[in-house]
């Protein structure tokens, strides 16, 4: 019996589903992706939310921080990911100065992630200080994922990448940031590099899902794909778990290729194309004439 389209079509992960998973105590797996091939893999194995993070500035584009990443770069990479994904929710990370300058520009740029790149929502960094921008984005009908704690776009202000919320005063500010985002309609919040005890307070204080990266036990976890598979060698954050060493595998493969080329072992016969003998004879005759 032939399946109907409705029975074969993948069901997109929705905000309602993410909230339901929180209520049921089901953990959500989030990952970053920056291109079509990795997005295909992540969607295939069941990642529920794929973030096209501005972390690609460091992992893919070679910048020292996320600050140089542009809207054009983010839209290009988000589009590549969105074209690969059928089930996971795709969230585009709004880059530095794409939403901080004005409310109108924040809404316009957020909308481009949906209309041009095919994402299902956007992420911005900050809480209280970006509350007006966050509200405008949500009011425009754009799903918003918040991001508090260590916010890499503020690296110059922080003086580096460090744990946030280590004092009672800092922790209160994090709770206030989370509440501000919830108040304006953020569907979930990413908490980065904060003490696990503070994360537990956040879980008690806000009703939406809290997803952690270096934040202990949460409603779900997110990692940078290049950290997870060992493809970014400059550094590995303390909170990241390296599940594979793809960099070493790739180096071995490339080294073997270089050695085979130099030794004349590649290409072998099975890697070459041939023309028919009569065509070859004709070709030689034409070249002589």
């Amino acid at each position: 019996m032939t399946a109907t389209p409705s029975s074969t079509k993948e069901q997109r992960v929705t905000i309602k589903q993410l909230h339901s998973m929180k209520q049921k105590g089901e953990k959500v797996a989030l990952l970053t992706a920056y291109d079509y091939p990795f997005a295909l893999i992540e969607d295939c194995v069941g990642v529920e939310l794929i973030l096209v993070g501005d972390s690609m500035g460091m992992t893919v584009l070679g910048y020292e921080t996320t600050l140089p990443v542009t809207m054009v770069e983010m839209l290009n990479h988000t589009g590549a990911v969105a074209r690969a994904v059928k089930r996971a929710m795709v969230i585009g990370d709004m880059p530095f100065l794409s939403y901080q300058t004005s409310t109108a520009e924040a809404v316009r740029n957020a909308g481009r992630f949906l209309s041009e790149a095919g994402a299902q929502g956007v992420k911005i960094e900050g809480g209280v200080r970006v509350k007006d921008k966050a509200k405008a984005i949500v009011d425009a009908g754009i799903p918003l994922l918040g991001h508090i704690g260590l916010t890499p776009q503020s690296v110059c202000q922080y003086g580096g990448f460090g744990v946030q919320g280590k004092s009672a005063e800092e922790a209160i500010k994090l709770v206030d940031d989370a509440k501000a985002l919830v108040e304006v309609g953020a569907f979930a919040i990413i908490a980065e590099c904060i003490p696990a005890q503070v994360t537990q307070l956040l879980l008690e204080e806000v009703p939406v899902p809290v997803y952690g990266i270096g934040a202990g036990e949460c409603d779900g976890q997110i990692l940078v794909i290049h950290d997870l598979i060992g493809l970014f060698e400059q550094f590995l954050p303390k909170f990241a778990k390296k599940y594979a060493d793809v960099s070493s595998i790739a180096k071995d493969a490339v080294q073997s290729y270089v050695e085979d080329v130099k030794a004349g072992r590649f290409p072998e016969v099975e890697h070459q194309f041939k023309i028919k003998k009569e065509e070859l004879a004709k070709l030689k005759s034409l070249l002589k004439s």
Side-chain angles (χ1 to χ4, degrees), residues 204-220:
E204 295 171 6
E205 293 291 330
V206 299
V208 302
V210 177
Y211 303 131
I213 177 166
E217 189 74 15
C218 299
D219 296 310

Side-chain angles (χ1 to χ4, degrees), residues 83-101:
R83 288 189 289 274
V85 174
K86 304 301 180 185
R87 176 181 174 271
M89 179 183 291
V90 176
I91 300 295
D93 205 355
M94 297 191 69
F96 184 56
L97 293 185
S98 67
Y99 59 94
Q100 293 96 333
T101 55

Side-chain angles (χ1 to χ4, degrees), residues 108-204:
R108 187 180 305 109
N109 284 328
R112 294 182 67 190
F113 277 95
L114 277 64
S115 63
E116 297 180 31
Q120 285 76 57
V122 299
K123 180 180 78 67
I124 65 173
E125 297 182 3
V128 173
R129 67 185 180 188
V130 296
K131 183 177 178 179
D132 58 333
K133 313 297 192 310
K135 183 179 187 304
I137 290 171
V138 174
D139 287 348
I142 302 168
L144 178 70
L145 174 64
H147 182 170
I148 64 172
L150 173 60
T151 47
Q153 290 175 15
S154 302
V155 63
C156 294
Q157 191 175 44
Y158 292 149
F161 300 99
V163 178
Q164 304 298 305
K166 291 189 290 185
S167 69
E169 291 76 16
E170 289 179 350
I172 287 295
K173 289 181 180 179
L174 290 176
V175 173
D176 289 343
D177 282 339
K179 287 182 175 179
L181 291 168
V182 171
E183 184 180 334
V184 298
F187 71 85
I189 296 169
I190 288 179
E192 180 172 358
C193 280
I194 67 174
Q197 302 96 315
V198 176
T199 301
Q200 293 308 305
L201 292 176
L202 285 175
L203 291 168
E204 295 171 6

Side-chain angles (χ1 to χ4, degrees), residues 3-273:
T4 62
S6 60
S7 65
T8 58
K9 184 179 179 181
E10 290 281 1
Q11 296 298 310
R12 178 78 68 177
V13 173
T14 64
I15 293 173
K16 183 177 180 180
Q17 181 179 343
L18 295 176
H19 286 182
S20 176
M21 292 177 72
K22 175 181 174 64
Q23 295 303 316
K24 294 176 182 178
E26 298 177 10
K27 302 295 185 182
V28 176
L30 305 87
L31 267 179
T32 67
Y34 315 106
D35 57 29
Y36 188 92
F38 275 117
L40 277 176
I41 293 170
E42 293 178 20
D43 197 39
C44 177
V45 301
V47 172
E48 280 98 4
L49 190 153
I50 296 176
L51 172 67
V52 188
D54 62 359
S55 49
M56 75 173 187
M58 302 169 74
T59 59
V60 175
L61 302 178
Y63 301 137
E64 291 187 0
T65 69
T66 64
L67 299 181
V69 179
T70 66
M71 273 294 297
V72 171
E73 289 167 336
M74 287 305 309
L75 291 173
N76 284 340
H77 285 264
T78 302
V81 169
R83 288 189 289 274
V85 174
K86 304 301 180 185
R87 176 181 174 271
M89 179 183 291
V90 176
I91 300 295
D93 205 355
M94 297 191 69
F96 184 56
L97 293 185
S98 67
Y99 59 94
Q100 293 96 333
T101 55
S102 73
T103 299
E105 189 170 13
V107 173
R108 187 180 305 109
N109 284 328
R112 294 182 67 190
F113 277 95
L114 277 64
S115 63
E116 297 180 31
Q120 285 76 57
V122 299
K123 180 180 78 67
I124 65 173
E125 297 182 3
V128 173
R129 67 185 180 188
V130 296
K131 183 177 178 179
D132 58 333
K133 313 297 192 310
K135 183 179 187 304
I137 290 171
V138 174
D139 287 348
I142 302 168
L144 178 70
L145 174 64
H147 182 170
I148 64 172
L150 173 60
T151 47
Q153 290 175 15
S154 302
V155 63
C156 294
Q157 191 175 44
Y158 292 149
F161 300 99
V163 178
Q164 304 298 305
K166 291 189 290 185
S167 69
E169 291 76 16
E170 289 179 350
I172 287 295
K173 289 181 180 179
L174 290 176
V175 173
D176 289 343
D177 282 339
K179 287 182 175 179
L181 291 168
V182 171
E183 184 180 334
V184 298
F187 71 85
I189 296 169
I190 288 179
E192 180 172 358
C193 280
I194 67 174
Q197 302 96 315
V198 176
T199 301
Q200 293 308 305
L201 292 176
L202 285 175
L203 291 168
E204 295 171 6
E205 293 291 330
V206 299
V208 302
V210 177
Y211 303 131
I213 177 166
E217 189 74 15
C218 299
D219 296 310
Q221 298 291 326
I222 181 168
L223 282 179
V224 171
I225 182 63
H226 287 60
D227 291 337
L228 184 151
I229 63 174
L231 196 54
F232 184 69
E233 295 187 311
Q234 279 76 349
F235 63 87
L236 181 70
K238 178 182 179 180
F239 56 73
K241 182 175 179 179
K242 187 171 165 181
Y243 285 81
D245 190 1
V246 172
S247 182
S248 292
I249 295 171
K251 283 180 180 178
D252 289 344
V254 173
Q255 183 175 3
S256 294
Y257 161 74
V258 170
E259 291 173 354
D260 281 358
V261 168
K262 292 185 178 298
R265 294 189 294 265
F266 177 83
E268 298 173 88
V269 174
E270 60 265 33
H271 306 124
Q272 302 175 34
F273 299 102

